[in-house]
Amino acid sequence: MADTTDQAFYDRADAHINLSNEQLKTFESLGQVSASMMFGTTRFNAWVSACGFKTGAEMAAAREALLKYFCEQYRMMLEDNLDDHINNFGHYMRANAPG
């Protein structure tokens, strides 16, 4: 995975979070907005993955490696963010602000 410490990485992530926060103003279900964001991420990552192959058969041969990579990355990022929210719960949830 690319270096995730540059500011542009966080700016792009914040743009996606801001879009989801805007959607919460129209769709009251946190779960619906979260599910849509996760689906969009998986669809985009499938497309990004496909860009690296010449055929569907070639991509199919790499399917398990792709799943392993993306699942490991998601888990690592989710663990980091869960720990951050646990450690900063009072601050983050004070106003019960989205994202």
Side-chain angles (χ1 to χ4, degrees):
M1 190 171 110
D3 180 13
T4 59
T5 59
D6 67 313
Q7 188 57 45
F9 172 88
Y10 294 105
D11 292 345
R12 289 187 303 272
D14 286 346
H16 292 286
I17 293 167
N18 290 337
L19 174 60
S20 291
N21 288 338
E22 284 298 313
Q23 290 176 349
L24 286 174
K25 295 175 182 176
T26 305
F27 305 99
E28 296 181 14
S29 171
L30 290 170
Q32 288 176 332
V33 173
S34 176
S36 295
M37 185 177 196
M38 193 167 9
F39 179 81
T41 298
T42 62
R43 187 174 180 121
F44 184 77
N45 286 334
W47 177 79
V48 167
S49 297
C51 289
F53 298 98
K54 293 180 181 171
T55 67
E58 188 180 289
M59 186 176 177
R63 184 178 187 275
E64 287 306 313
L66 292 166
L67 284 168
K68 183 176 189 264
Y69 169 78
F70 284 111
C71 288
E72 285 175 354
Q73 291 298 306
Y74 182 86
R75 181 178 182 97
M76 184 175 59
M77 291 179 192
L78 182 59
E79 286 175 347
D80 288 346
N81 281 288
L82 286 172
D83 290 345
D84 183 43
H85 276 71
I86 289 165
N87 293 326
N88 296 288
F89 190 86
H91 174 71
Y92 290 161
M93 301 308 289
R94 182 174 301 132
N96 200 23

